[in-house]
Amino acid sequence: MPAAKWSTAEELATDEDAFIKLMHCLAGVYFWEFFTSLDFDWAFISGKKKFQWPLIFYMLGRYCLFFALIGILIALDARTEVNCQALYTFDQLAGDAAVGLASINLSIRTMAVWSQNLWIVIPLVLVILGHWSLILQGVLLTAEWIPGQGCAITKTNNTTLAATFIYSMCFDALVMVLSVIKLYGRKQRSQLVSILFKDGMIYFLVAFIANAIATSFMVLNLNAIMAIIFNVPAAIASTIVACRAVRRLSNFSNNGPEIYTASSHSGVVGFRSMTNQVQSSHGVATRPRSGHTKDISAGVHVQMQTFTVEEAPDNLRPKALDLESAGSETDVGSPVDYADYKSEAL
């Protein structure tokens, strides 16, 4: 289609109708995802699970996008005059913030995988600050109230918007490469490492493709509506996969016994005594060996196969399991604050 035809009144009306229908469809998808996962949020709000600082970014990302979508629906469905500029300014900032917070969630995992190595943490923090300097640029679109039609986007700053999404793609690529370097070469992958690798790869692919599509339409700049029509799908895709990755990691420790190491080089792994589960009618509960009973609250939690010791019933009693060689195959880093997820600390 010739470029001039994208700016005709008929084409703009068609694009606006498509935009409205797409936004309602995407809002329904995200609201379904949001409400079906509220039990996870409520567990922390009600105190059933201990709330730790990394979840701040998870919560902010979810709720920023939730309220941004509500604002978009209000702007699209309003039948009485509203302040369209204020609504779309809020929607833009909240939606872009959700994209930035999704990237932060992935970068926190990468910092943890690298055991909070300052050579990794400091550059990533600087990259995050650069990302947010673009996100908080200010008003990047202009919207007006048109009688009989409602709120309409009349102008967009495509250069800054495109730069923000391109930066997001490069940011996600960077943290994914760092994770792959650390995790991919392991001789034997624990279930935890597999989850980290798989979820990180899925997040990167989904977010990268969604952001690439949005950026392409911003660069083409066919008209004010088509330039931003795929921004919301990109934000929703990034937020959903990032939040699911956080929930999977957080729930991982609740599905089986946990073990910890004193450091990434100690090579000593013991079952946490808090589990104290009898694994079969002739199995035994396990405890840390007496030489390794020091409480390490920020250790590395790793999913292991359940071990049982078969004994005669009259000799059934707790015994320690010698897993001296397990540490080198299972731990993924030294103790880090990310352990406070109450999921798997990396």
Side-chain angles (χ1 to χ4, degrees), residues 121-171:
V121 173
I122 292 176
L124 285 180
V125 170
L126 293 177
V127 173
I128 290 172
L129 293 177
H131 195 195
W132 280 84
S133 70
L134 287 174
I135 291 173
L136 301 176
Q137 278 290 310
V139 180
L140 301 179
L141 53 81
T142 302
E144 299 177 358
W145 175 265
I146 299 177
Q149 182 178 348
C151 287
I153 298 172
T154 57
K155 184 180 179 181
T156 58
N157 185 341
N158 294 327
T159 302
T160 305
L161 282 172
T164 303
F165 278 83
I166 292 172
Y167 196 106
S168 297
M169 291 189 290
C170 295
F171 184 11

Side-chain angles (χ1 to χ4, degrees), residues 267-271 287 289 292 307 319-326:
V268 179
V269 181
F271 279 89
R287 297 178 181 173
R289 296 176 60 182
H292 306 288
F307 291 89
K319 289 186 177 181
L321 297 179
D322 187 2
L323 301 175
E324 297 291 336
S325 63

Side-chain angles (χ1 to χ4, degrees), residues 15 22 47 61-62 92 110 197 201 227 240 252 269 277 318 324:
D15 293 344
L22 179 62
R62 272 171 61 84
Q92 171 217 311
T110 302
F197 187 80
M201 186 62 70
I240 287 178
F252 180 73
V269 181
Q277 299 176 2
E324 297 291 336

Side-chain angles (χ1 to χ4, degrees), residues 157-163 165-166 211 213-222 226-228 231:
N157 185 341
N158 294 327
T159 302
T160 305
L161 282 172
F165 278 83
I166 292 172
N211 288 335
I213 295 173
T215 303
S216 297
F217 276 82
M218 279 184 279
V219 172
L220 289 173
N221 194 22
L222 301 174
M226 293 302 296
I228 53 90
N231 290 15

Side-chain angles (χ1 to χ4, degrees), residues 261 263-269 323-328 331:
T261 60
S263 72
S264 61
H265 304 293
S266 65
V268 179
V269 181
L323 301 175
E324 297 291 336
S325 63
S328 62
D331 79 286

